[in-house]
Structure formats: structure tokens, C-alpha cells
Amino acid sequence: MSGHSDRKLPRHVGIIMDGNGRWAQARGLPRIEGHRVGSESVRDVVRAARQLGLEAITLYAFSSQNWARPVDEVSGLMDLLRDFLQSERSEILDNEIRLKAIGDAEKLPPSVKAPLDELCAASAHHRKMTLTLALSYGGRESIAKAVSTLAADVAAGNVRAADIDADRFGSYLPTADLPPLDLVIRTSGEQRVSNFLLWEIAYAELMFVDIAWPDFRRQQLYRCLENYATRERRFGLTSAQVIDEDV
Ligand code: IPE
Ligand code: IPE
Ligand code: MG
């Protein structure tokens, strides 16, 4: 019985944390205020995920395309990231969370990159949960980079082109050390993926919730996980086959 309910808990949840700007604007506040309150949602949701025993949570914090936003908003977001890394340092270390970043970190300002690298290294041996920040991240960019590295391995004679299959290719992605992506939640009501984990999303359950990220807290996460537990994941099989496998 407990085995059954364990199986219904996703191992790896991805969240597209959207709607900060609209949340603020609806209250007559500057957009950055939405990002600030949104960072409190991050704290609460990460804490809840750790308590629930999720193996991995991946948060879409800043896309490759978000660099094109107004400079004030970008620098405000970078300041919030820097503050988050500082204020959550002890929480992450005390709770044996491994922090990981995916995306083009070279584009990040030193005020973010330095504490990010430091905390990723300091927590690299932790095994209770992996918190991945998708920062300066794009799914297409991530796939293109993997192709480039793989092509170099083929050219060097380390990999035969004929041996490339989905598993081999996946091992070149920065998410290769994470459990399969089970569930993707997007807040704010938009129903799109916006360049998040394109390869990894193949068989993930998708959930679009009509709540802006600053209002998404642990109770909303619990509701999403309850919904997830009711879904039948078939991975291309028939329902009868899936039920057979379950017993
Ligand atoms: C998500 O909120 C946070 C980032 C993309 C960094 P938005 O800033 O996209 O908020 P909306 O979608 O404009 O309301
Ligand atoms: C996706 O949200 C990126 C993050 C949540 C970090 P966006 O607000 O950038 O996506 P679009 O522009 O609505 O597709
Ligand atoms: Mg948005």
C-alpha cells in the first residue's frame, strides 16, 4: 500500500514559475515586486518538496530569452537571485539539498555566478534532494550544446555515429544525472512550454494552473501532486498493460 502511494509521488517535478509581472501590475506595483514575492514562493515550495521527499525539483528561473527584457528588470532579477543564494545557503546545506544549475552560466553577472558556483560545489555531495535552477536556460540551446559536444566526440573517434540513440544523446544533456521528469507545472494560466526542458518533457505530465507564481505556495503544490496521483501514465502502452504492470 505504501509502495503504491510512493509510486504515485513524482520523482522529479519541473516548475515554470510564471506570472510575477502580471501579479504585481494587477496590484499597481512594479514588476520587480512580483519577482520578490515570487522568491518567497520558491522558498516555501522547495521546503515542502524536501519534506515530501521528492528526489528532484527543477525551477525555471530565467530563460535564455529573458535576457532581452528591459535592463532594469534583468538587473533586479539578478539581485534577487544573488539574495536568494545568500539567504538560502544554510537551509540548503542543513537539509542536505544538492544545488545544481543548468543553462549558460557564463552570461550571469559575477555577483550571481560566484555564489552559485560556490553553493553548487559545497552541496554537490548531498543526496536528499536535487534543486536545479534553470538559469539563462533554454531547451533548444541545451539540445544544441549537447549536439555540439556529441559531434566533437564523434569527430575525435570516441563515439560512433551509428551508436547514437535517445539514451546516448540524453546522456549529453545537463539533466542526465536527474531522475526522469515526471511532472511539469506552469503557473499563471499560460498553456505553453516556453523553451523549458524540451527533450526531458517527452512523457512528463503537464499541469497548467491559473494562479500567478507569487500566490503559489505549498498548498498549491500539494493540490498538483494530488492531481498527478490520479493520472494514468501509459508511456505508449494500453491501459490494460499499465494496470497489469501495477499489480
Ligand atoms: C516569471 O514571471 C518570471 C520570469 C520570467 C523571470 P514573468 O516576469 O514572466 O511574469 P508575467 O508572465 O510577465 O506576468
Ligand atoms: C518562461 O516564462 C520563463 C520563466 C518562467 C523563467 P516567460 O514569461 O519568459 O515565457 P513567455 O514569454 O510567456 O512564453
Ligand atoms: Mg511570463
Side-chain angles (χ1 to χ4, degrees), residues 27-172:
R27 287 160 180 77
L29 300 167
R31 290 177 58 88
I32 195 67
E33 190 55 23
H35 296 311
R36 195 190 61 72
V37 178
S39 73
E40 291 167 18
S41 297
V42 173
R43 282 181 239 284
D44 196 45
V45 165
V46 169
R47 206 165 286 177
R50 170 68 179 82
Q51 286 163 4
L52 285 164
L54 300 189
E55 285 176 54
I57 179 164
T58 299
L59 301 178
Y60 202 9
F62 194 84
S63 74
S64 304
Q65 288 66 35
N66 288 150
W67 289 115
R69 290 194 177 190
V71 283
D72 283 0
E73 181 163 343
V74 171
S75 68
L77 277 162
M78 293 301 140
D79 289 350
L80 284 170
L81 275 161
R82 179 204 58 205
D83 295 349
F84 176 82
L85 292 165
Q86 194 183 6
S87 65
E88 295 314 286
R89 190 174 191 284
S90 57
E91 171 101 11
I92 285 172
L93 295 177
D94 292 350
N95 287 288
E96 295 175 64
I97 295 170
R98 175 170 75 113
L99 182 70
K100 176 182 163 80
I102 55 174
D104 185 359
E106 297 310 316
K107 286 194 177 151
L108 298 170
S111 60
V112 174
K113 190 174 183 311
L116 181 66
D117 289 347
E118 189 276 329
L119 194 48
C120 287
S123 65
H125 61 290
H126 288 162
R127 293 288 173 269
K128 295 286 190 204
M129 181 177 86
T130 301
L131 165 61
T132 303
L133 298 180
L135 260 183
S136 188
Y137 173 86
R140 286 180 169 178
E141 287 77 1
S142 176
I143 290 168
K145 191 161 176 241
V147 169
S148 166
T149 312
L150 177 52
D153 273 351
V154 172
N158 300 330
V159 176
R160 285 171 7 141
D163 289 340
I164 298 170
D165 58 11
D167 283 345
R168 176 70 68 109
F169 178 74
S171 74
Y172 280 79

Side-chain angles (χ1 to χ4, degrees), residues 12-18 41-42 44-46 49 54 56-62 131-134 181 183-188 193 196-197 201 207 209 211 213 216-217 220-221 224-225:
H12 181 184
V13 176
I15 307 184
I16 303 171
M17 308 184 292
D18 195 26
S41 297
V42 173
D44 196 45
V45 165
V46 169
L54 300 189
I57 179 164
T58 299
L59 301 178
Y60 202 9
F62 194 84
L131 165 61
T132 303
L133 298 180
L181 185 65
L183 169 64
V184 171
I185 300 165
R186 182 174 186 144
T187 59
S188 92
V193 170
F196 185 52
L197 300 176
I201 221 162
M207 224 167 264
V209 298
I211 300 166
W213 178 249
F216 190 97
R217 300 293 163 104
Q220 283 72 36
L221 176 67
C224 288
L225 296 178

Side-chain angles (χ1 to χ4, degrees), residues 226-238:
E226 280 163 23
N227 179 333
Y228 174 86
T230 67
R231 296 193 184 188
E232 182 181 66
R233 301 181 73 196
R234 289 192 284 277
F235 299 97
L237 303 181
T238 66

